[in-house]
């Protein structure tokens, strides 16, 4: 049974009914594969561990007829990416499947192993994204069993640094971006979003960008603060700018945060950008102050507009005796909720109806973080969240609903089977 509807009576073709039976039969072997993957640490900076997970997955894809290659990312100081390609019928839809090999849990984390309790399991990356990759394979295996994989054009890109993208990003994401330019459709196998227990469709992801604001002033004895000679000092200037951000930046789908701040006689940001070493005294006007934060947007147009506004606020209207500048680090781009993405979700909802499952409404993009699919969203239509549902991601409480892998694999396999019969647009 699937969501209360029997596959035998759902509005499915014979091959699609085979998909359901195959997923059911492949469930326990898939859980066993997931356990193996989870028990191999693959924190983003555990380069050997990421490669080990890729080596475990290579034969899984090769057994399905995929040509598999490993792309080292030495130049980006990361392990690399696993890319698998299945050539199907010429002129039909080219599908890009996206997932990742790495997790946020490095080898020094106490959270290292898989543990199962019925249809639930815990472990590092058990959902994000080893559960997603396992679901992807379960869907592809079901397509092979149904005979629908044979004609399908599928390219899989499993990045090894989704949780901590290598630098330069142009190198780290070159292969993914190139795959997106070739594809008609991108399907992201990160986790399924739910609201009040209801499955949601994700057609958008917001960007993730960082900024560093530095204010400077004249150092001197605090008794001279606000005088024409001494000015207001760097900390007051920093506070002025941050206050202006709070008042002038708000708009729909934008969030912005100040995550780190420090000022005084000196303020040194460490190499990782996560600490500020500050020195000073209460009777010294501070000559330097630094703040670091992020901002998230729903479109690249919004990113540019917000960036320009922040730049204008930071570099004009200075308090007496001060100056300031702001630098940006544009991380993950945005994935806007385009008409093409909405059409993909509509196709998925036809499948939901055929399976006797409820319709999946579009998720509010403010409730979904950034992800790799955004790097290709400007070149192809996309859908996010074809992996299993979970809770506690990015924490030692990470827990996956294993049974949701069945529902998601059936949805994905039928969607890909139907897309494979459509004409390519590229």
């Amino acid at each position: 049974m699937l969501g209360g509807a029997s596959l035998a009576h759902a509005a499915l073709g014979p091959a699609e009914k085979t998909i359901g039976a195959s997923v059911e039969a492949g469930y326990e072997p898939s859980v066993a594969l997931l356990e193996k993957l989870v028990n191999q640490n693959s924190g983003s900076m555990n380069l050997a561990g990421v490669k080990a997970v890729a080596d475990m997955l290579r034969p899984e894809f090769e057994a399905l007829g995929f040509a598999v290659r490993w792309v080292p990312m030495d130049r980006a100081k990361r392990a690399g990416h696993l890319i698998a390609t299945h050539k199907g019928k010429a002129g039909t839809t080219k599908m890009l499947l996206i997932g990742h090999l790495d997790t946020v849990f490095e080898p020094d984390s106490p959270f290292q192993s898989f543990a199962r309790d019925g249809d639930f399991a815990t472990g590092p990356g058990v959902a994000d994204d080893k559960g997603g990759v396992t679901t992807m394979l379960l869907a592809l295996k079901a397509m092979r069993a149904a005979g629908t994989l044979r004609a399908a054009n599928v390219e899989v890109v499993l990045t090894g640094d989704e949780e901590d993208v290598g630098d330069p990003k142009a190198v780290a994401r070159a292969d993914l971006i190139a795959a997106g330019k070739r594809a008609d459709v991108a399907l992201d196998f990160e986790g399924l979003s739910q609201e009040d227990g209801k499955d949601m469709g994700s057609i958008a992801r917001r960007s993730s960008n960082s900024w560093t604001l530095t204010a400077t002033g004249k150092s001197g004895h605090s008794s001279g603060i606000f005088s024409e000679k001494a000015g207001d000092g760097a900390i007051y200037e920093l506070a002025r700018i941050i206050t202006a951000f709070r008042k002038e930046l708000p708009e729909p789908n934008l969030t912005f945060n100040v995550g780190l701040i420090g000022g005084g006689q000196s303020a040194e940001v460490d190499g990782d950008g996560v600490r500020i070493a500050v020195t000073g005294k209460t009777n010294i006007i501070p000559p330097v102050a630094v703040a670091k934060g992020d901002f998230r947007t729903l479109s690249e147009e919004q990113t540019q507009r917000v960036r320009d506004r922040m730049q204008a606020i930071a570099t004009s209207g200075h308090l007496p005796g001060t100056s300031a500048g702001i630098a940006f680090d544009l991380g993950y781009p945005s994935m806007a909720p385009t008409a093409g993405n909405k059409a993909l979700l509509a196709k998925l909802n036809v499948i939901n109806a055929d399976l006797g499952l409820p319709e999946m409404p579009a998720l509010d993009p403010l409730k979904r973080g950034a992800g790799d699919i955004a790097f290709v969203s400007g070149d192809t239509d996309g859908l996010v969240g074809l992996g299993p549902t979970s809770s506690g991601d990015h924490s030692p409480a990470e827990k996956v609903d294993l049974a949701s892998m069945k529902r998601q694999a059936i949805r994905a396999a039928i969607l890909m089977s139907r897309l494979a019969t459509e004409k390519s647009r590229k």
Side-chain angles (χ1 to χ4, degrees):
M1 299 289 285
L2 181 71
S6 171
L7 283 173
H9 297 96
L12 304 172
E16 293 173 345
K17 291 177 182 178
T18 300
I19 284 172
S22 175
V23 166
E24 189 66 41
Y27 173 61
E28 287 299 336
S30 293
V31 174
L33 173 62
L34 179 58
E35 179 175 8
K36 180 181 175 183
L37 297 174
V38 169
N39 284 335
Q40 169 59 61
N41 178 277
S42 60
S44 304
M45 300 311 297
N46 180 5
L47 307 192
V50 172
K51 178 61 163 57
V53 170
D55 290 342
M56 294 174 186
L57 291 168
R58 174 185 283 271
E60 299 287 335
F61 285 102
E62 288 178 337
L64 293 170
F66 283 75
V68 182
R69 60 191 175 99
W70 173 251
V71 182
M73 279 290 123
D74 298 345
R75 286 178 58 199
K77 302 178 183 64
R78 295 296 185 271
H81 311 316
L82 187 73
I83 299 178
T85 306
H86 184 279
K87 290 188 178 180
K89 183 179 179 180
T92 59
T93 300
K94 295 183 284 291
M95 292 172 274
L96 170 61
L97 313 187
I98 300 173
H100 61 92
L101 307 166
D102 62 322
T103 77
V104 299
F105 304 97
E106 299 294 342
D108 60 354
S109 168
F111 189 48
Q112 291 290 343
S113 59
F114 179 95
R116 183 176 182 180
D117 181 9
D119 280 335
F120 293 88
T122 58
V126 72
D128 184 18
D129 186 37
K130 294 176 181 179
V133 175
T134 303
T135 302
M136 179 193 298
L137 279 165
L138 183 57
L140 292 170
K141 290 174 182 178
M143 291 175 69
R144 181 185 61 177
T148 61
L149 180 60
R150 188 181 307 110
N153 289 298
V154 181
E155 184 169 7
V156 176
V157 177
L158 303 180
T159 58
D161 59 345
E162 195 271 350
E163 303 292 4
D164 190 356
V165 180
D167 184 38
K169 293 182 184 70
V171 171
R173 287 296 172 270
D175 295 279
L176 178 63
I177 291 170
K181 293 182 183 301
R182 291 188 289 269
D184 297 296
V185 169
L187 304 176
D188 183 325
F189 279 79
E190 287 201 293
L192 168 67
S193 293
Q194 290 186 321
E195 286 192 349
D196 300 322
K198 185 174 186 176
D199 294 352
M200 305 294 288
S202 296
I203 58 172
R205 302 190 78 153
R206 290 193 304 154
S207 65
S208 178
N209 308 292
S210 299
W211 52 267
T212 301
L213 173 66
T214 303
T216 58
K218 300 176 183 178
S219 185
H221 197 281
S222 64
S223 62
I225 189 77
F226 308 137
S227 67
E228 183 177 347
K229 180 179 179 180
D232 287 24
I235 290 178
Y236 275 117
E237 171 65 358
L238 194 78
R240 176 196 70 82
I241 296 169
I242 291 172
T243 299
F245 285 171
R246 182 66 184 91
K247 290 180 178 179
E248 299 180 32
L249 293 181
E251 62 178 73
N253 299 312
L254 169 70
T255 55
F256 51 96
N257 179 58
V258 183
L260 189 64
I261 192 167
Q265 186 64 33
S266 67
E268 299 290 337
V269 181
D270 74 348
D272 295 327
V274 298
R275 301 174 188 85
I276 301 178
V278 175
T279 65
K281 291 184 177 181
T282 59
N283 63 351
I284 296 176
I285 300 171
V288 63
V290 179
K292 294 178 68 68
D294 76 353
F295 72 99
R296 298 169 186 265
T297 59
L298 190 55
S299 70
E300 294 308 282
E301 182 275 331
Q302 186 178 38
T303 296
Q304 189 60 52
R305 182 174 66 253
V306 172
R307 181 181 176 180
D308 290 347
R309 186 64 188 134
M310 293 177 77
Q311 181 84 32
I313 293 170
T315 57
S316 63
H318 301 304
L319 296 178
T322 71
S323 64
I326 190 167
F328 296 93
D329 180 9
L330 301 183
Y332 276 90
S334 59
M335 174 187 177
T338 64
N341 298 351
K342 293 174 184 177
L344 260 182
L345 179 57
K347 290 180 180 182
L348 184 60
N349 276 323
V350 170
I351 292 168
N352 283 325
D354 290 345
L355 290 168
L357 292 171
E359 180 178 343
M360 297 168 66
L363 180 75
D364 182 344
L366 268 69
K367 298 180 180 179
R368 183 119 211 174
D372 272 341
I373 194 172
F375 284 101
V376 305
S377 64
D379 296 308
T380 188
D381 299 333
L383 196 60
V384 181
L386 290 166
T389 188
S390 61
S391 60
D393 291 11
H394 286 209
S395 82
E398 184 172 356
K399 182 179 183 179
V400 68
D401 178 354
L402 295 168
S404 69
M405 289 169 49
K406 299 181 190 179
R407 187 166 73 253
Q408 289 292 82
I410 291 170
R411 281 172 171 150
I414 295 176
L415 177 62
M416 289 189 285
S417 297
R418 294 183 182 183
L419 288 171
T421 67
E422 297 180 2
K423 186 177 179 180
S424 172
R425 300 190 300 276
K426 293 184 179 178

